[in-house]
């Protein structure tokens, strides 16, 4: 067997340690750990690594390219895993989302929403949508600009996509920044979610996807409901594979 039990055990035990740390972070922020969903980001990782985590009870997995994800998705029974698409989505790949992914974390384009909506309806599938916001105003990042968010939501609602469920916001925190700056970014996303929920009367607009291996504690402190964590579970990614 190529994928050794040792590796599989190491991944499972890192998952347990991570869950304990998330629990502790939630506890000290006076939050309930069960309102925080851990998404294991399995991009570049093997199906065997996903299987190891799945047997250890992990349910949610995140991928960021369609081709790699589809190869993995078909190896697992449909009910066993909830798949999240967390990367930037090119509009010619929109057809791969409905039916394969329950969640899309990176909506930042109205034309993409229309395509997703059409494909979802054709497949009688629905997709939970998070709008990616470029909170740090980083030109290298994707996401809707801060001051464009209200208009973006307004246009989405006007376009009326019944197969797309608007569920909240997503962001990528500042890279290697001081703790204060990271928290400010995540707090801003929370305030934007609250503002959208109220302004557009969307009770289900409740999710905050923020926090990765390096900044999930700050994200929990600021109200994250979804953490996207790869390296802290799987170890370093090998892009050469
Ligand atoms: C890769 C990736 C992650 C996970 O990053 P880690 O630092 O490995 O935890 C989270 N979110 C997005 C959007 C990613 O592309």
């Amino acid at each position: 067997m190529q994928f050794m039990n040792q590796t599989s055990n190491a991944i499972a035990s890192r998952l347990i340690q991570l869950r304990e740390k998330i629990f502790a972070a939630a506890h000290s922020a006076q939050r309930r750990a069960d309102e925080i969903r851990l998404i294991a980001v399995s991009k570049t990782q093997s199906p065997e690594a996903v299987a190891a985590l799945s047997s250890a009870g992990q349910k949610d997995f995140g991928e960021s390219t369609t081709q790699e994800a589809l190869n993995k998705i078909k190896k697992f029974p449909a009910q066993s895993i909830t798949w999240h698409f967390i990367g930037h989505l090119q509009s010619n790949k929109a057809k791969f989302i409905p039916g394969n992914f329950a969640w899309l974390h990176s909506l930042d384009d109205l034309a993409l929403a229309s395509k997703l909506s059409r494909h979802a309806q054709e497949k009688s599938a629905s997709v939970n949508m998070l709008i990616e916001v470029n909170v740090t105003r980083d030109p290298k990042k994707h996401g809707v600009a801060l001051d464009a968010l209200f208009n973006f939501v307004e246009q989405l609602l006007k376009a009326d996509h019944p197969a797309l469920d608007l569920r909240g916001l997503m962001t990528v925190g500042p890279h290697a920044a001081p703790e204060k700056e990271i928290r400010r970014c995540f707090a801003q996303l929370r305030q934007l979610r609250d503002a959208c929920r109220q302004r557009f009367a969307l009770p289900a607009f409740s999710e905050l996807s923020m926090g990765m291996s390096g900044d999930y504690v700050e994200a929990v402190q600021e109200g994250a409901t979804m953490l996207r964590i790869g390296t802290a579970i799987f170890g370093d990614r090998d892009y050469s594979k």
Side-chain angles (χ1 to χ4, degrees), residues 188-222:
Q188 250 180 305
L189 196 73
R190 169 168 40 78
Q191 288 151 10
L192 285 169
R193 177 207 55 190
D194 294 344
C196 286
R197 183 159 57 178
Q198 197 183 28
R199 187 183 178 107
F200 300 104
L202 299 169
F205 200 86
S206 56
E207 303 289 341
L208 281 177
S209 168
M210 57 191 194
M212 320 196 329
S213 294
D215 56 14
Y216 68 87
V217 172
E218 290 84 351
V220 168
Q221 287 165 338
E222 295 300 340

Side-chain angles (χ1 to χ4, degrees), residues 53-136:
L53 275 189
S54 176
S55 337
Q58 176 62 26
K59 184 100 177 111
D60 292 273
F61 288 84
E63 288 282 336
S64 60
T65 56
T66 48
Q67 204 47 53
E68 185 195 346
L70 293 176
N71 284 332
K72 281 177 209 167
I73 290 173
K74 65 186 181 206
K75 293 194 162 76
F76 295 90
Q79 304 312 316
S80 65
I81 290 180
T82 302
W83 293 98
H84 298 248
F85 194 87
I86 63 168
H88 178 66
L89 182 67
Q90 289 167 286
S91 75
N92 62 344
K93 304 285 172 66
K95 58 176 176 290
F96 298 123
I97 300 299
N100 286 311
F101 293 89
W103 292 80
L104 177 81
H105 290 232
S106 53
L107 183 68
D108 64 358
D109 182 76
L110 293 167
L112 176 65
S114 300
K115 280 201 170 181
L116 286 162
S117 166
R118 184 163 49 79
H119 292 299
Q121 279 180 301
E122 279 166 15
K123 291 195 181 168
S124 305
S126 61
V127 186
N128 292 297
M129 310 287 282
L130 303 175
I131 301 167
E132 181 170 358
V133 185
N134 189 351
V135 178
T136 58

Side-chain angles (χ1 to χ4, degrees), residues 41 43 64 86 170 172 212-213 228-231 237:
V41 176
K43 63 186 184 202
S64 60
I86 63 168
M170 177 274 223
V172 176
M212 320 196 329
S213 294
R228 310 177 310 268
I229 300 186
T231 358
R237 279 183 286 277

Side-chain angles (χ1 to χ4, degrees), residues 6 13 18-19 23 25 27-28 33 38 47 59 64 66 69 107 111 129-130 177-178 180 197 200 225 235 237 239:
Q6 221 179 339
S13 73
L18 177 63
R19 287 202 173 281
F23 190 89
H27 186 74
S28 65
L38 171 60
K59 184 100 177 111
S64 60
T66 48
L107 183 68
M129 310 287 282
L130 303 175
K180 222 171 121 189
R197 183 159 57 178
F200 300 104
T225 63
R237 279 183 286 277
Y239 284 100

